Amino acid sequence: MRKAVEEHLESRGCRVVRPPAELAPPTFESLVDGFLVHVLRLDSESYRRAFWREAYRNGHTIGHVPHTLEGFFRRNARTFEQQVSLLLTVAALFGAYAVATLLYRRLSLVVRRLRRPTYYERERERRQKLAAERREIRKHCTLNPRPTFDAIRAALRVARNSPEDALRLGSLLEDLECFVDNTLRFGADGQIVGRRGGIKRLFQREAPDLFEKYSTIMRYKAMAKRFRQACGTGEPVSPAMLLPVPEATDATPDSAPASPPPTSGPVPAPGPAFARQTLAPAATANRLQTVLPRAREAARVILGECQGTLISLEAALALRLDPDCIPAHGEAYARKPRLPRIPKRVVSWLLRRRVA
């Protein structure tokens, strides 16, 4: 899993489930930060830095003035006796918080070790099989016609606008792969000596502008392939058939393939040995009627978790497909443990019970 995806999951309150041996013990700094944020309801160091950086650079703010520990003492303690009482109270609360956090982590570690054999290895094996299926070199099939270079260029221009646009570009490339030759090449002794060029050499010969962006384009293709796997379907169903129909176009029937937008660009001539594979009409119709409703519902759930960015789409797919992001206890993801914050009236009561 990419580091950027893992950081995005952490920012959403998700954590990546790793083997228990990899869980590092909490540091004193992390305990202090958690206590200040979750118990005393102060702002984190990252928010304070972002707030003052925006204020000094651009002259405006990003939210409320940061709540700090110094301001907490200034608001709740006016005399020396109150300050001493509040300091002792905060120290006692921090000790209780640290003990509770350490006990929680230790118990969680024991529980994970006990529950891990019930789900982790089986789920990891399933996800590794999906990854091996994505890397498999074989002939592909689709229900869509061969996309044109102009259609790919038009999709590439808007690919970063939304996750749906990115998946439509990846779907075109998945369809194009069905019409190119990327099979293995064998030597005289029967050993594998390489593979044929496929999409890359096609772009190099006939679309140099797309060849210059080959790495970026193939990232969208891999994203579409993962999306189709996460929805629980495969070939010949195109990833675009699982997306909501754009408002500017008419809805496509469940039994009809999702064709790419019409363009006037040239269509590369397919080689006769690598034309798309077709299924019997009855088998295709039965499969679509069985698979599409369930797959489209899964696609709706995945896209609903996105926040309009590609990184959020990658994070949603990682939660379902990445071997390093296996859910704990059968949940979609595990939220970071948070202790309940101390209500303000409780802090006021503690101040009234100050040390004599």
Side-chain angles (χ1 to χ4, degrees):
M1 180 169 54
R2 293 199 304 130
K3 184 67 175 177
V5 176
E6 186 171 343
E7 291 176 353
H8 178 80
L9 291 173
E10 292 288 342
S11 67
R12 288 178 52 194
C14 311
R15 62 179 175 83
V16 176
V17 179
R18 300 188 183 280
E22 298 182 14
L23 296 176
T27 61
F28 179 76
E29 290 78 8
S30 65
L31 289 175
V32 172
D33 292 340
F35 174 75
L36 295 179
V37 173
H38 303 313
V39 179
L40 298 185
R41 294 188 291 185
L42 305 180
D43 292 309
S44 62
E45 180 69 18
S46 60
Y47 176 80
R48 294 198 297 269
R49 289 179 179 273
F51 178 91
W52 293 116
R53 180 169 56 249
E54 187 70 17
Y56 289 137
R57 290 182 178 179
N58 302 321
H60 52 78
T61 63
I62 60 174
H64 62 272
V65 177
H67 299 154
T68 61
L69 185 61
E70 180 182 357
F72 174 80
F73 276 93
R74 187 168 55 250
R75 291 191 305 269
N76 296 286
R78 300 183 181 278
T79 64
F80 178 75
E81 291 79 5
Q82 289 179 341
Q83 292 177 354
V84 173
S85 175
L86 183 59
L87 180 61
L88 295 176
T89 302
V90 169
L93 288 176
F94 174 73
Y97 172 83
V99 172
T101 302
L102 294 175
L103 288 177
Y104 178 86
R105 289 179 63 88
R106 178 55 59 181
L107 291 176
S108 299
L109 182 63
V110 173
V111 171
R112 276 197 298 272
R113 284 174 175 170
L114 294 176
R115 291 185 176 181
R116 182 181 175 85
T118 64
Y119 72 93
Y120 186 88
E121 297 301 334
R122 181 175 64 253
E123 178 66 14
R124 185 175 180 84
E125 182 181 356
R126 184 188 72 85
R127 296 185 179 207
Q128 287 176 340
K129 287 182 179 179
L130 292 176
E133 180 182 335
R134 292 194 298 270
R135 295 189 298 267
E136 185 180 1
I137 300 175
R138 56 184 175 83
K139 290 185 178 180
H140 301 274
C141 58
T142 180
L143 297 174
N144 292 341
R146 181 170 185 167
T148 65
F149 291 142
D150 284 348
I152 296 175
R153 293 186 183 99
L156 179 61
R157 285 194 293 270
V158 298
R160 298 187 65 84
N161 290 353
S162 67
E164 291 85 354
D165 291 330
L167 292 172
R168 288 189 180 96
L169 172 59
S171 180
L172 290 177
L173 297 169
E174 283 287 287
D175 292 337
L176 180 60
E177 190 177 27
C178 301
F179 299 89
V180 297
D181 182 7
N182 63 349
T183 55
L184 296 174
R185 292 189 295 109
F186 298 90
D189 56 352
Q191 298 295 323
I192 297 175
V193 296
R195 57 182 295 185
R196 292 175 175 84
I199 294 178
K200 185 174 184 178
R201 298 310 168 200
L202 176 66
F203 285 167
Q204 187 178 24
R205 292 192 308 268
E206 305 183 27
D209 57 324
L210 296 177
F211 177 72
E212 294 177 356
K213 303 177 181 178
Y214 176 78
S215 299
T216 301
I217 289 176
M218 297 308 288
R219 175 190 169 195
Y220 292 108
K221 179 179 178 296
M223 193 182 305
K225 183 178 293 187
R226 289 166 61 87
F227 176 76
R228 180 165 55 186
Q229 281 189 334
C231 294
T233 185
E235 297 177 357
V237 177
S238 173
M241 299 177 66
L242 309 178
L243 300 175
V245 179
E247 297 179 357
T249 62
D250 297 332
T252 302
D254 287 350
S255 60
S259 301
T263 58
S264 58
V267 179
F274 303 101
R276 58 176 177 165
Q277 300 177 11
T278 57
L279 302 179
T284 302
N286 293 336
R287 181 172 181 178
L288 290 177
Q289 292 177 0
T290 304
V291 172
L292 271 182
R294 183 173 63 252
R296 283 177 173 169
E297 177 62 22
R300 185 189 64 80
V301 174
I302 294 174
L303 295 175
E305 296 178 5
C306 298
Q307 302 170 346
T309 60
L310 297 186
I311 191 68
S312 63
L313 174 61
E314 291 186 60
L317 297 178
L319 290 173
R320 293 164 172 82
L321 298 176
D322 202 296
D324 293 330
C325 194
I326 296 178
H329 318 313
E331 301 173 358
Y333 57 85
R335 294 189 176 274
K336 291 181 179 178
R338 292 172 180 253
L339 294 181
R341 296 178 176 179
I342 303 299
K344 197 170 184 179
R345 61 179 181 273
V346 176
V347 177
S348 301
W349 181 84
L350 292 173
L351 291 175
R352 291 195 301 270
R353 302 282 296 183
R354 65 181 182 274
V355 178

